[in-house]
Amino acid sequence: MAYNFHKGSAGPAGADFLTKNRKMNKSTFLCLLAPLFVFQAAFAQQPFSDAEITYAVKVDLPSGASAQLAAAFEDSRLVYSFKNYLFRSDMNVGKTTYTKIHNSRNNSAITLIDAGPNKYLIRMSAADLAKESARFDGLQYTNEPGEKQIAGYSCKKALGKLSDGSSFTVYYSPELIPEFKDFSPRFKGLDGFPLAFEMTTSHHLKMTMTATSVSIAPQPTAKFQTPTSGYRAMSYTELENLRNRK
């Protein structure tokens, strides 16, 4: 049924309709609006499958650090890439690039270390990944006052607390939800996607990652494939031994 609401043309039927709707109580009006807000919220949190997020990296160097050490971190950058159930992170620190490609379906991964002439490929099983992420067991997030606009998204502040008593700050966007949420143990339980976060290296250097761009767009499959040459294969145990010698 159509109603004519043009000024000066409303007949008795139109007048009755307007009169009845003026009497519509507040609760009825809100009930009619509720589905609209539910739809908007669902749309805003629609999971993405393909994306690339680029972060600038700020390193807090200890006092008295050499200019050479500062220069080594000057062009550091982090890139997160997603394609369906695949997740890739690329961290450039000085002249070394650390890459991890994680398969969320079978919970396996490969790690690539590119340090100039030395290039290593480490295949990681679900057991290896569990050992690698053990420090995040028991991680709990609590929201805190404070919001930021980062890369065009409104972000909420959260504090992540680890079982060893340490903590780190994260700013996350509730609008951005990866299709596979458990892409990183560092962000498990976070109600959105991290667009700024803190990290401490094995050398006790604090690093702050802040997103500079977010691209929700198809990613090439080749980016998530395992290299077939150019890398020396290394087991996860060998990697642990190498770390312990440093």
Side-chain angles (χ1 to χ4, degrees), residues 90-141:
D90 292 276
M91 179 77 177
N92 298 95
V93 181
K95 295 181 179 180
T96 304
T97 299
Y98 302 89
T99 298
K100 179 177 281 188
I101 302 174
H102 179 225
N103 185 322
S104 296
R105 278 187 176 169
N106 60 22
N107 197 25
S108 65
I110 63 164
T111 293
L112 305 173
I113 302 174
D114 186 344
N118 300 311
K119 297 183 179 183
Y120 304 96
L121 186 156
I122 302 96
R123 296 180 186 275
M124 303 176 71
S125 65
D128 296 332
L129 289 172
K131 193 172 183 179
E132 183 84 354
S133 63
R135 67 184 298 258
F136 295 107
D137 291 347
L139 170 64
Q140 292 186 332
Y141 279 106

Side-chain angles (χ1 to χ4, degrees), residues 149-170:
Q149 283 284 329
I150 302 175
Y153 291 86
S154 296
C155 296
K156 296 182 178 181
K157 183 179 181 181
L159 186 68
K161 294 183 180 179
L162 299 172
S163 56
D164 63 5
S166 61
S167 62
F168 57 94
T169 299
V170 176

